[in-house]
Amino acid sequence: MPLILGIDTGGTFTDGVLLDLNTKEVKEKAKAFTTREDLSIGIRNCIENMGEFDPRQVQLVSLSTTLATNAIVEGRGCRVGLILIGHESTGNLPTHQVFVVRGGHDIKGIPVAELDLEAIQRAVTEMRGQVDTIAISSYLSIRNPEHEQAAQQLIQELWNVPIVCAHQLTTALGFHERTVTACLNARLLPIIAELLAAVKAVLKEKQISAPLMIVKGDGSLMSETMTREKPIETILSGPAASIVGAVFLTGTESALALDMGGTTTDIAILENGRPRMNREGATVGGWKTRVEAAEISTFGLGGDSYIQVSKDRKLIIGPKRVWPLSVIANKYPSLIEELKRVDPNRQIIDSQPADCFMLVKKPVNKDQWNTTEWKIINALEVSAHNIFALAEKVGRDPNLLPLKDLEQAQVIGRISFTPTDLLHVLNTFTDYNVAAAQEGARILAHRLRLGLDKFAEKVLSEIQAALCMTILQSFAYREGLRINLSAETSVAFLLSSLLNGNHKRGFKSEITLDYPIVALGAPVTGYLPAVGSTLNTPVLIPTHAEVANAVGAASGQVAELIRILIKPGVAGGYVVHAPWKREAFLYLDEAERNALDKAKEVALERAQRAGVVNPELLVEKEEVLSHTAGGDDVVFLETRIEVTAIGHPSWEE
């Protein structure tokens, strides 16, 4: 029985499944806490939580990961040296050093200046020892990559250093975005290499010798070799895997896929079994890239969202993530007694009376933290504590505890009341410690001047309303509207009866979605049925919804896409602009035939390298013509060719 091991490293949990693709059955599934300081620990724990299985049956391991996204958001990665050819920098770039040299091409792929090889040599001399990788971006290299290729060859002769060329990552226009993409890819090279090495070490330890593949941001799979070369392709890997999982688990081809994880809720709209792609490129950590990824709307509302009561007694849900009281009290049951002693009337700056803290990782650098911070670290080394109990142990007023820097550095973690705890209070989900959740609810309910039942009802209603709003917001984004519906007074007025049950306006709002909702993630059973009722649409919660991302990783396909553009030549004939070279032909049919044959060859070769035995080829060809003004003459503008090789990687020996 050949199996695929699918693993997803989310913000809170690492999920795993063993999938039999012959029968399309999930044979085993498990969860473990994601260990962001070392993802391999969480992966090892997840595999161990699946119980005993024959590692020889595992023919493929497929991983979706948050690593690239998180690294970009947090500004982590190696030092990048950038060589710009033919154009100055037009904005901020994620680099350590930048050098501009003469060269580059025009829109037709004709050189505008000779490449300055001597300037590149000088740049390499200056960068040696100052950077770890080099990115090369030449002006309009998508029309002719020869200057990037020549620069790469020269640098390789001078210095053994990882090199990234912009034309290898995208064929889209946009010099700045293409340059950013190349720089981020270069910055991620050692990070993804470290992850792959760690994962392979875990697999070896578990005697799993199967090849490893990674989920790309469009939901397709990429080989380990390609992942090492193009780690930037793995941004939004986790949300993309959930979409693939939604289709696999439900069989539906038209739906709104909603994945409510620990940190965020991710929404994508499926048509014909695939999400719409963001052709302009994904934006991550404020950097606009040219990486094509699934069009996914992400909102800061999840099972671990921080629930607070403000000083003016307003309920605030998210977007900050904390550890749920119910989850951590399983490990530190002493928190329950500490929470029972909390006086809900005590005011505290920048925290809630229900807040507790735990040690996430003890720092190595002793000089980085002051005496009081070390007292906090040492106090939390034995056990987690409520903020008032922690203040007593440290001997400081709770308002004067220096927690911010420790929390930001992920040395300590904040524990408080969350939507996961609410489900424990409601007895909807009781996998963890119910008593701790009830104590947290008691404290917040008192601050709202509500009884426990009314408090739980209010929080449930507001979370469901927020989920409805995220769905409506995703449709606004789909239409290209970058407005915040929640901040629009007129929208709030019109939707008040729908979202908050306010029927005192003299009218009633109703909305009907044209899509069923496929709800994924552990918390959805507690929230989404009511959301479906509000939006008048069915909600599908498939079996294994809580590990849908891992199912998506295991059931994904390889998809290798090649794009080619054919345009009229300056002096007649036709020019083929391909990712590997610019080539001229006398006749259009000859240009198209050669371009198509080469694109098929490259797409097939890449798919086969990724483990697909018999890839299926999909060819799309679009001819762009223009009619002359006042006449019937037709002018040829360009031909666009797309060739995609798709298929499941072979898991049979």
Side-chain angles (χ1 to χ4, degrees):
M1 178 177 62
L3 298 172
I4 290 185
L5 172 59
I7 299 171
D8 171 73
T9 59
T12 304
F13 285 104
T14 292
D15 299 338
V17 298
L18 282 170
L19 187 69
D20 183 342
L21 272 182
N22 289 341
T23 61
K24 297 189 176 181
E25 289 181 293
V26 174
K27 294 297 184 182
E28 299 288 346
K29 60 184 176 182
K31 283 178 173 285
F33 285 117
T34 295
T35 47
R36 288 191 62 181
E37 68 277 11
D38 182 352
L39 294 178
S40 67
I41 296 171
I43 291 170
R44 178 186 292 106
N45 294 340
C46 182
I47 293 173
E48 289 175 353
N49 289 345
M50 285 190 214
E52 295 294 324
F53 62 89
D54 185 352
R56 292 172 298 179
Q57 290 184 316
V58 178
Q59 304 299 312
L60 181 72
V61 179
S62 185
L63 174 71
S64 60
T65 174
T66 59
L67 184 64
T69 306
N70 291 340
I72 292 172
V73 169
E74 294 162 11
R76 291 187 288 115
C78 67
R79 300 170 300 173
V80 178
L82 172 64
I83 294 179
L84 290 172
I85 301 174
H87 204 288
E88 295 282 345
S89 170
T90 55
N92 291 332
L93 293 166
T95 59
H96 190 70
Q97 289 186 328
V98 180
F99 295 87
V100 182
V101 304
R102 194 172 62 251
H105 293 77
D106 63 17
I107 194 68
K108 295 184 180 297
I110 298 170
V112 295
E114 184 180 351
L115 179 62
D116 191 341
L117 295 174
E118 290 185 3
I120 294 173
Q121 284 182 310
R122 290 194 297 271
V124 169
T125 301
E126 287 193 45
M127 285 191 286
R128 195 182 292 273
Q130 303 299 311
V131 302
D132 308 300
T133 58
I134 292 178
I136 305 170
S137 183
S138 179
Y139 194 64
L140 284 166
S141 61
I142 60 165
R143 291 289 188 260
N144 192 338
E146 62 182 1
H147 283 180
E148 286 187 8
Q149 291 167 336
Q152 181 181 23
Q153 184 178 347
L154 174 60
I155 295 168
Q156 285 173 335
E157 293 171 0
L158 297 171
W159 188 13
N160 181 22
V161 64
I163 303 169
V164 173
C165 291
H167 78 271
Q168 297 168 335
L169 301 171
T170 176
T171 58
L173 289 167
F175 179 66
H176 180 70
E177 293 84 358
R178 200 163 62 250
T179 302
V180 166
T181 304
C183 293
L184 290 176
N185 193 76
R187 200 164 84 177
L188 289 170
L189 289 175
I191 289 180
I192 209 75
E194 186 178 342
L195 170 68
L196 293 175
V199 172
K200 286 177 75 69
V202 172
L203 295 177
K204 185 177 180 181
E205 174 190 316
K206 300 300 177 187
Q207 298 182 314
I208 298 171
S209 58
L212 174 65
M213 301 200 76
I214 314 295
V215 180
K216 294 162 59 176
D218 63 3
S220 64
L221 300 179
M222 182 165 54
S223 69
E224 179 190 341
T225 302
M226 291 301 293
T227 304
R228 291 181 186 278
E229 294 174 9
K230 300 180 180 182
I232 190 73
E233 297 270 6
T234 67
I235 58 175
L236 300 179
S237 167
S242 73
I243 297 167
V244 177
V247 175
F248 185 86
L249 290 172
T250 64
T252 184
E253 295 206 334
S254 178
L256 182 142
L258 183 149
D259 182 9
M260 189 177 186
T263 310
T264 62
T265 290
D266 301 315
I267 296 174
I269 297 169
L270 303 176
E271 300 281 7
N272 301 316
R274 292 184 63 82
R276 193 159 80 165
M277 300 304 295
N278 186 345
R279 300 292 184 193
E280 290 297 307
T283 299
V284 180
W287 296 108
K288 177 78 170 140
T289 76
R290 278 290 182 258
V291 178
E292 287 189 20
E295 196 170 87
I296 297 167
S297 300
T298 298
F299 304 93
L301 176 63
D304 300 343
S305 291
Y306 190 19
I307 297 179
Q308 305 175 71
V309 176
S310 66
K311 289 190 175 92
D312 55 352
R313 296 210 298 276
K314 294 275 177 62
L315 197 63
I316 303 167
I317 303 172
K320 182 176 179 177
R321 171 193 173 270
V322 295
W323 291 93
L325 290 167
S326 53
V327 173
I328 303 305
N330 256 10
K331 184 176 181 181
Y332 302 112
S334 58
L335 285 178
I336 300 167
E337 290 304 316
E338 290 186 2
L339 288 166
K340 284 181 178 178
R341 296 197 299 268
V342 169
D343 178 1
N345 294 313
R346 287 190 67 177
Q347 295 295 326
I348 186 163
I349 301 168
D350 296 330
S351 292
Q352 299 285 295
D355 287 359
C356 306
F357 293 87
M358 67 177 179
L359 186 67
V360 176
K361 60 178 179 182
K362 189 166 183 178
V364 178
N365 184 1
K366 293 195 173 184
D367 297 332
Q368 186 177 352
W369 309 105
N370 62 37
T371 304
T372 307
E373 287 168 331
W374 270 108
K375 284 184 179 179
I376 292 169
I377 292 166
N378 293 332
L380 295 176
E381 195 167 7
V382 178
S383 175
H385 290 292
N386 173 260
I387 189 166
F388 297 113
L390 179 63
E392 287 178 18
K393 287 187 174 293
V394 174
R396 295 286 293 268
D397 184 287
N399 285 304
L400 300 177
L401 286 175
L403 300 168
K404 184 178 178 182
D405 290 343
L406 287 168
E407 191 177 0
Q408 196 166 6
Q410 296 181 33
V411 172
I412 65 173
R414 187 181 298 250
I415 311 155
S416 199
F417 193 77
T418 67
T420 296
D421 296 306
L422 176 67
L423 296 182
H424 283 74
V425 173
L426 294 168
N427 210 35
T428 305
F429 177 73
T430 56
D431 282 16
Y432 301 106
N433 195 299
V434 175
Q438 289 173 332
E439 287 304 319
R442 174 189 66 82
I443 294 166
L444 293 182
H446 185 91
R447 289 168 66 80
L448 278 176
R449 311 286 196 270
L450 293 173
L452 196 60
D453 290 345
K454 286 289 184 185
F455 168 77
E457 185 182 311
K458 178 179 176 60
V459 179
L460 178 63
S461 174
E462 294 214 12
I463 292 173
Q464 289 167 343
L467 286 168
C468 288
M469 187 61 89
T470 63
I471 290 171
L472 299 178
Q473 183 71 64
S474 70
F475 280 99
Y477 289 159
R478 187 190 189 201
E479 296 300 316
L481 301 173
R482 309 315 293 182
I483 57 172
N484 183 350
L485 295 181
S486 300
E488 293 283 331
T489 306
S490 55
V491 172
F493 173 77
L494 289 172
L495 295 182
S496 59
S497 65
L498 173 76
L499 300 179
N500 305 316
N502 184 351
H503 302 299
K504 299 176 183 177
R505 304 279 195 192
F507 66 90
K508 183 178 180 181
S509 303
E510 278 200 9
I511 289 178
T512 302
L513 292 192
D514 289 337
Y515 300 86
I517 298 172
V518 177
L520 309 170
V524 293
T525 52
Y527 299 112
L528 267 294
V531 170
S533 297
T534 301
L535 298 177
N536 296 296
T537 193
V539 173
L540 311 175
I541 303 179
T543 306
H544 313 304
E546 76 280 12
V547 290
N549 291 34
V551 172
S555 60
Q557 289 184 303
V558 171
E560 291 292 344
L561 171 63
I562 304 296
R563 285 200 181 95
I564 290 179
L565 184 67
I566 302 173
K567 297 182 77 73
V570 178
Y574 300 88
V575 177
V576 174
H577 301 283
W580 45 87
K581 69 186 293 189
R582 174 185 184 273
E583 198 169 2
F585 294 88
L586 186 58
Y587 302 106
L588 180 59
D589 61 346
E590 181 189 13
E592 289 183 352
R593 188 171 59 253
N594 276 271
L596 191 55
D597 288 347
K598 182 64 175 175
K600 287 179 178 178
E601 179 188 329
V602 173
L604 283 171
E605 188 268 334
R606 289 183 181 177
Q608 286 164 349
R609 275 177 59 199
V612 182
V613 177
N614 294 306
E616 178 187 356
L617 279 177
L618 304 177
V619 177
E620 290 187 24
K621 176 182 159 185
E622 180 186 3
E623 199 171 66
V624 183
L625 306 173
S626 176
H627 292 274
T628 56
D632 296 326
D633 292 339
V634 176
V635 177
F636 170 80
L637 296 180
E638 62 186 33
T639 296
R640 302 165 187 165
I641 295 174
E642 288 190 1
V643 176
T644 308
I646 63 171
H648 285 289
S650 174
W651 62 90
E652 295 182 359
E653 292 181 320

